[in-house]
Amino acid sequence: MLKTNLLSIVIISGLLSACGFHVPKNNTAVNASITGDVNSAFASEFKKHLDVNSAPSLRVNIGAEVQNTRSTAYKNNGDTSSYMLTLSVPIKVIRGQELLLSKNLTATTTLKEMELSQANTLQTTHGFAQLRKTVASKLLRILTQLNAN
C-alpha cells in the first residue's frame, strides 16, 4: 500500500511538472500614478492595493464611475425583490506618451430579497463597495501584465 501511494505521488508530480504547472514567481508589486478622478471612491479603493515603495512606471487615468441599479424581479404585491447592480469605470493606462489601454472595466452583482428602504440603501452601498473591489482587482491584474511586458 505504501509503495502504491509513493508511486502515485511520483507519477502525479511528474505529470504536473511535464505540463508546465508551477507556482508563479513574478510577484512584483505594482505602483502607478493616478490621474483623472483621483478623489473618487474607486480611486481610494485602488490606491489601497498599490505599492508606494516602488517607482511608478505606468499612469492610470481614472474616469468617473457609473453606477446602474436595475430591478430584476417582482413579488405578487409589486414590491421589488431583487436588484442588479452594475459598476463601470473608464480606465486609460499610459506608459510615457504611449496609450497602452483604454477600456471600461465593469462588474455586476445581484442583490436579492430587498424589502425595507433602509436595508435597500445599506445593501446597495455595500454592493457597490464590493464591485469597486472587484474592478480594482481586475485593474491590478491588467497592470501586472502590462508591467511584465
Side-chain angles (χ1 to χ4, degrees), residues 8-20:
S8 299
I9 291 172
V10 169
I11 290 173
I12 290 172
S13 62
L15 289 173
L16 286 174
S17 64
C19 72

Side-chain angles (χ1 to χ4, degrees), residues 66-126:
V66 177
Q67 297 179 357
N68 187 5
T69 305
R70 185 172 53 141
S71 59
T72 57
Y74 296 95
K75 291 184 179 182
N76 291 337
N77 61 1
D79 292 337
T80 304
S81 63
S82 65
Y83 285 99
M84 181 178 288
L85 304 179
T86 303
L87 180 75
S88 179
V89 181
I91 301 292
K92 290 183 183 176
V93 180
I94 302 164
R95 180 182 291 140
Q97 298 298 321
E98 180 184 2
L99 178 65
L100 300 176
L101 177 73
S102 179
K103 185 176 185 177
N104 281 339
L105 297 179
T106 304
T108 303
T109 190
T110 302
L111 302 177
K112 298 180 181 177
E113 298 181 12
M114 299 174 66
E115 301 202 7
L116 300 173
S117 62
Q118 184 177 10
N120 287 350
T121 304
L122 292 174
Q123 286 178 326
T124 303
T125 302
H126 179 70

